Amino acid sequence: MSGLCFIGASSSAVSHRSLSSSSLSSLCELKSTSFCIAPSFSRATFTRSPKSNSKSVLSMTAAPSSESDDDSTKAAAKQTLKVGFFFGLWYAFNVVFNIVNKKTLNIWSYPWTLSTVQLGVGSLYCTLAWLTGLRVKPNVSWGLLKAMLLPAFGHTIGHVMSCLSFSLVAISFTHIVKSAEPVFGAVMAGLVLGETYTLPVYLTLIPICVGVALSSASELTFTMAGFLTAMASNLAFALRNVFSKITMGDYKKDPTMTPANSYGLITIISFLMELPFCLLADKGIPSLISPKGIPEATVLKFVMASSLLYHLYNEVSYSALDNVSPITFSVGNTIKRVIIILTSIIVFRTKILPLNAIGSAIAIIGTFLYSVAKAKSAEKKTE
């Protein structure tokens, strides 16, 4: 359902610098005259050709043009604006989604149906993008669909459990509990995949657990059902990631299987998986009549807005991920969670106790440290 690397170096400058002075001279030597322009040097140099005794034969290296530096600067600035644009959209869509989603559940408490509609709208969105040519169609095969069943199952459970938790407790508390997802990810990766991390990575899990425990103990809207569904969401999304590593390895080299296309296919499969359980849980298709007397048209608008925003923020998150490194994306995701928590507290006037605030801060800081430590661990392994 999951960093910023700005590369703006001038390859020509690097390659010229790697040339030795002797090799450069040999390239510049000609039978009668030699005139060689090498833009990597900062000043002109002159040498006498050994093959001419009567005249001075010059080998000149011209000063570099500032145009290449300007192009590199412009490219870096353009990339920065692009990344900033995607991160801004990602944050905006995510914050607005969480607010609209909570308001929808407040006036129409059918989390099973709402989560299913959200997947359905996303499925329709992706299908239209493929049919109209706005996005490259993935190479779908029966083998690919089979490989996606387990990741889609984890995504389905994770999504519906999140929606259930949002309907039971404050948004801020659900997100604090969901910050413990790295703990489940590390445990599942060790048990199922046999993956191990460095000691600093495991140590960062301690503040996450402590922070979630403190926040839970002092949460005014705490319910066991809301806490357990948020925890179940963490477990399901961790399993989704593990299943993807197990079953999707042979398909990741397919150029049509971009992160956005993979998410689109998983969304469609998840929608089909959840639909029968949704009809069973809510005893068919529920009426749009709100117990709070909200007009049906208004309820429908909230449901559709929540569903479209859910898919859009996931779409934009993949666009952001495509333009940054994993560590930057993880840091950005941590910042996003902080913004959601603070915004929801302000919008819904959620009362928090000092211990709850301290626990929340500890958990979020732990999540940030985990992202940094895991990225550094991965870098050491590649070296």
Side-chain angles (χ1 to χ4, degrees), residues 9-273:
S10 173
S11 59
S12 62
V14 174
S15 62
H16 283 300
R17 290 190 185 98
S18 65
L19 289 174
S20 63
S21 59
S22 60
S23 62
L24 185 61
S25 299
S26 63
L27 289 173
C28 293
E29 286 180 1
L30 296 175
K31 289 184 178 180
S32 59
T33 60
S34 61
F35 180 78
C36 177
I37 299 177
S40 63
F41 283 74
S42 59
R43 65 176 182 271
T45 59
F46 301 88
T47 60
R48 182 180 299 275
S49 173
K51 298 193 177 189
S52 177
N53 297 323
S54 59
K55 295 182 179 180
S56 295
V57 182
L58 301 180
S59 174
M60 184 178 75
T61 303
S65 172
S66 61
E67 293 181 2
S68 60
D69 294 335
D70 291 341
D71 291 341
S72 299
T73 302
K74 290 179 180 178
K78 185 177 180 180
Q79 179 67 10
T80 301
L81 290 174
K82 182 180 179 181
V83 171
F85 174 74
F86 282 130
F87 266 70
L89 279 182
W90 180 31
Y91 286 5
F93 283 145
N94 210 316
V95 169
V96 177
F97 160 73
N98 277 273
I99 294 173
V100 173
N101 192 59
K102 181 62 176 179
K103 288 186 175 181
T104 305
L105 290 169
N106 285 343
I107 64 174
W108 193 71
S109 188
Y110 291 96
W112 277 92
T113 298
L114 180 59
S115 61
T116 305
V117 173
Q118 289 169 349
L119 294 174
V121 170
S123 300
L124 180 61
Y125 181 100
C126 292
T127 302
L128 291 175
W130 292 327
L131 292 178
T132 57
L134 294 175
R135 180 183 298 170
V136 177
K137 295 179 182 178
N139 295 323
V140 181
S141 63
W142 285 112
L144 174 62
L145 295 177
K146 290 179 181 178
M148 283 190 157
L149 286 177
L150 285 177
F153 174 75
H155 182 75
T156 304
I157 300 300
H159 177 53
V160 70
M161 289 296 111
S162 295
C163 203
L164 283 167
S165 182
F166 286 138
S167 70
L168 295 169
V169 293
I171 295 176
S172 55
F173 179 63
T174 297
H175 277 284
I176 291 300
V177 177
K178 285 175 69 64
S179 67
E181 187 176 331
V183 178
F184 289 85
V187 172
M188 289 298 104
L191 293 178
V192 181
L193 301 176
E195 292 183 357
T196 57
Y197 303 115
T198 58
L199 181 60
V201 175
Y202 289 114
L203 290 178
T204 60
L205 300 178
I206 297 176
I208 297 176
C209 295
V210 172
V212 171
L214 290 175
S215 181
S216 301
S218 56
E219 173 60 38
L220 296 175
T221 67
F222 179 88
T223 66
M224 185 57 70
F227 173 79
L228 292 178
T229 48
M231 281 295 188
S233 172
N234 288 338
L235 176 60
F237 283 133
L239 287 174
R240 177 195 62 183
N241 297 335
V242 169
F243 290 150
S244 295
K245 291 183 178 181
I246 295 175
T247 64
M248 295 295 294
D250 296 336
Y251 300 95
K252 290 183 178 180
K253 295 181 181 179
D254 186 343
T256 67
M257 288 303 295
T258 61
N261 277 350
S262 297
Y263 177 74
L265 290 174
I266 285 180
T267 297
I268 295 173
I269 298 172
S270 294
F271 168 69
L272 297 175
M273 281 183 174

Side-chain angles (χ1 to χ4, degrees), residues 110 112-113 116 273-286:
Y110 291 96
W112 277 92
T113 298
T116 305
M273 281 183 174
E274 187 180 350
L275 183 58
F277 295 98
C278 159
L279 296 174
L280 182 63
D282 289 336
K283 299 178 181 179
I285 302 175

